Amino acid sequence: QVHLAESGGGSVQPGGSLRLSCEVSGLPVGNYHLGWFRQAPGKDREFVGISSRPGANTYYAESVKGRFTVSRVNAKKMVYLQMNNLKPEDTAVYYCAASAAALSAIRRADMVRYWGQGTQVTVSS
């Protein structure tokens, strides 16, 4: 069965960095967009960044562009999120996601096929 397992979350100071990892099992990763969403308490789950199925192009939310980087290694069935210059507003549970949506819907949480269990990221002084 399909399983997405995130790791690497934790607590950091503003301006710090974290690298999240996601191991994907049970599906052909080359057929899916792979990336990350996040959810803060009391808020909807929001798009962070994703690597598309064709050509592994990357797409980012405006709030993280220039600070976060999504990468994938299909041979290892791994997806990563490098987060630099973290801000308090980045505090959330981060979810690994696999989507088979059309490219125009790649940022939509409701089009995600499979979710990881989530990992907490806390940014505070």
Side-chain angles (χ1 to χ4, degrees), residues 7-106:
S7 62
S11 181
V12 297
Q13 295 182 347
S17 298
L18 281 174
R19 189 192 191 203
L20 306 183
S21 299
C22 174
E23 185 173 2
V24 181
S25 61
L27 55 74
V29 295
N31 292 342
Y32 288 86
H33 317 305
L34 299 173
W36 300 85
F37 292 72
R38 68 187 182 187
Q39 188 166 21
K43 295 186 176 181
D44 293 332
R45 192 166 297 188
E46 68 173 359
F47 171 75
V48 175
I50 199 162
S51 174
S52 68
R53 180 199 69 241
N57 295 316
T58 50
Y59 303 83
Y60 298 97
E62 289 297 321
S63 60
V64 307
K65 192 174 296 182
R67 300 188 297 121
F68 291 11
T69 302
V70 175
S71 60
R72 65 195 291 173
V73 182
N74 285 347
K76 295 183 177 181
K77 308 192 78 172
M78 296 290 294
V79 187
Y80 305 97
L81 180 66
Q82 178 66 47
M83 303 184 291
N84 298 326
N85 192 25
L86 283 159
K87 304 176 180 180
E89 52 264 44
D90 295 318
T91 296
V93 176
Y94 284 70
Y95 296 90
C96 185
S99 174
L103 202 59
S104 61
I106 201 168

